[in-house]
Amino acid sequence: MSRFAVKEFRHFSKISYFLYTSLGSGVAADLLIAGSLCFSLSQRRTGFTKTDSLVTVLMMYTINTSLLTTICSTACFITYTIWPNEFTFIGIYFSLSKLFLNSLLATLNGPPPGTRLFSASPARLAKKKMPPKKAAAVEKKVLLGRPSNNLKIGIVGVPNVGKSSFFNALSETDLGKAANFPYATINPEEARIPVPDTRFEWLCETYKPVSRVPAFLTCIDIAGLTAGASTGAGLGNAFLSHVRAVDGIFQVVRAFDDAEVIHVEGDVDPVRDMEIIQTELRLKDIEWVEKHLDGLKRSGRSLGNTSLADKAKKEEIATVEKILKVLTVDSKDVRKAEWTNKEIEVVNGLTLLTAKPITYLVNLSERDYVRKKNKWLPKIKAWIDTNNPGDPLIPFSVALEERMVTMSPEEKKEEETKVGATSALGKITQAGYSSLDLIRYFTCGPDEVRAWTIRQGTKAPQAAGVIHSDFENKFVCGEIMSYEDLKEHGSEAAVKAAGKLRQQGKPYEMVDGDIAYWKAGN
């Protein structure tokens, strides 16, 4: 190679290296590098013109081919600048044709294996690759109701439908004032009801602990509501305040005829009774929301658009207006409307009566319950489907439950076989527990097997804090296994050997039936 060619080669190398290190890889860098080289060639005493430079730059724009082709085409260019004749021109022509063809194929089919951009090294290409986009995290739905694990359910209904008798049978006490006249119950009575769970029974049989503590549901007997309760009729204001204090509702509906048990409305009509309760709860909510909205608007007259506090206040006013529209225009209970998480926070702050979950309990005669037939059941079901779709309906018989509550477990089982029907109290208790979005996890050992009640969606540290606040404040991790895994493998050692004992940290969301051992710092 002549001294001129060597000098030109060094000159091009310096320009290429400077632009490459300054600009990196990519189309812009390729164009600038190729343009600078070709412009240098055209300015020096060679046969390479500015037109040739422009053509070369355009071709470089489409380069996406193998290193070998790039080297060959570059060699042809250098040779042409040193010895411009038809042979080197033909070489350039074929090189550019190959580059163009490869670029066209790469555009149509994607680049062949081992190809890369003109100025991009494998290391730089690796840096250029963008990581895959993370899927958008699904926003966790906030639950309606108080954010607590200690939730209560109230027994509600019109007078003389069997509420107190049901409460006594459920709690196995005589706290409820059952009598054949309205308002026998004035002050609410409270009892903790064990929630039946076959998993808990199996764990107790397996560990044989000294102490057994099941999950409990706190149940409250509330006086009967009559038409006009929302305006104060029949001590309605006091009774509705008792309803406001609970988190869920067992609505007892009478569907049996008994001349000896009077009805406050004169005759038995469960659909009418359900309408009365729904109307009174809704009217009280409307009164409450209107009063709250009026206060917000009075304090919001001077609100601006600049501060976050003012914007938050305006959003709260808009949410309360939406709640009022749901109750009045849409004629819906609050729990049946769609709410965003921000709106739910406002709804929860109002402790509305119609935001509480309702489980409908239809009190049948023992005869109707045993034969599973009653003229009112289809009408009750149709009313629920129309007005509050999705709410659970459980038929039961207070008369049967009262009769069996004093029996021993053996006698009770024998009586159920004899009459051909089983007690519904366990099903009712579990339905109430679930309606409050409550779940349980277990701690197990020879000293104690215990079910701990938490709300659905509770994280591990907060679940540990139910036992003691130090477990939450100094939380390290939890050793978790599922009840199903323990029952399948038979022992904790076998679960661990099968790799099913998991260490979970703070983000872990508890699952119903988890068996947990907590680790906390000092």
Side-chain angles (χ1 to χ4, degrees), residues 141 289 293 297 314-334 336-344 346-347 350 352:
K141 190 73 173 175
V289 171
L293 182 60
K297 285 184 175 179
K314 286 185 175 181
E315 287 178 1
E316 183 181 357
I317 291 171
T319 300
V320 176
E321 287 175 338
K322 179 180 174 181
I323 294 170
L324 187 61
K325 177 180 176 294
V326 167
L327 290 167
T328 54
V329 179
D330 301 339
S331 297
K332 277 184 177 182
D333 285 356
V334 171
K336 294 302 177 183
E338 290 294 326
W339 307 100
T340 65
N341 284 349
K342 281 189 176 181
E343 290 171 339
I344 288 176
V346 177
V347 173
L350 292 172
L352 298 173

Side-chain angles (χ1 to χ4, degrees), residues 169-226:
L170 189 64
S171 61
E172 298 183 5
T173 66
D174 60 353
L175 294 172
K177 306 297 188 293
N180 190 19
F181 55 87
Y183 312 121
T185 301
I186 300 296
N187 297 318
E189 298 291 346
E190 182 175 320
R192 295 177 74 224
I193 316 300
V195 182
D197 190 341
T198 55
R199 299 172 301 181
F200 177 77
E201 298 300 329
W202 184 87
L203 290 170
C204 289
E205 289 174 9
T206 302
Y207 285 90
K208 296 179 173 51
V210 176
S211 173
R212 306 180 179 198
V213 185
F216 288 94
L217 176 67
T218 302
C219 193
I220 297 177
D221 183 23
I222 299 174
L225 300 175
T226 56

Side-chain angles (χ1 to χ4, degrees), residues 6 263 398:
V6 172
H263 195 289
V398 168

Side-chain angles (χ1 to χ4, degrees), residues 20 116 120-127:
Y20 185 83
R116 60 186 181 89
S121 66
R124 286 181 179 269
L125 276 177
K127 290 180 183 177

Side-chain angles (χ1 to χ4, degrees), residues 97-114:
S97 299
K98 183 173 176 56
L99 288 172
F100 180 76
L101 180 61
N102 285 343
S103 298
L104 182 62
L105 291 174
T107 303
L108 295 175
N109 304 322

Side-chain angles (χ1 to χ4, degrees), residues 346-421:
V346 177
V347 173
N348 287 345
L350 292 172
T351 61
L352 298 173
L353 304 176
T354 59
K356 303 179 190 299
I358 295 181
T359 302
Y360 292 93
L361 308 179
V362 183
N363 186 9
L364 308 174
S365 66
E366 183 174 336
R367 177 174 175 271
D368 285 354
Y369 179 70
V370 170
R371 67 191 185 112
K372 297 180 175 62
K373 277 188 178 181
N374 180 274
K375 65 179 180 179
W376 291 109
L377 277 176
K379 297 177 182 178
I380 293 170
K381 180 69 168 63
W383 185 91
I384 294 173
D385 290 344
T386 302
N387 293 274
N388 292 314
D391 285 354
L393 164 66
I394 303 176
F396 78 117
S397 172
V398 168
L400 177 63
E401 302 296 352
E402 279 186 312
R403 202 159 54 77
M404 291 196 299
V405 73
T406 57
M407 299 180 183
S408 67
E410 293 77 17
E411 290 173 334
K412 186 176 180 180
K413 192 172 183 180
E414 185 179 335
E415 183 66 17
E416 286 176 339
T417 304
K418 180 181 174 182
V419 300

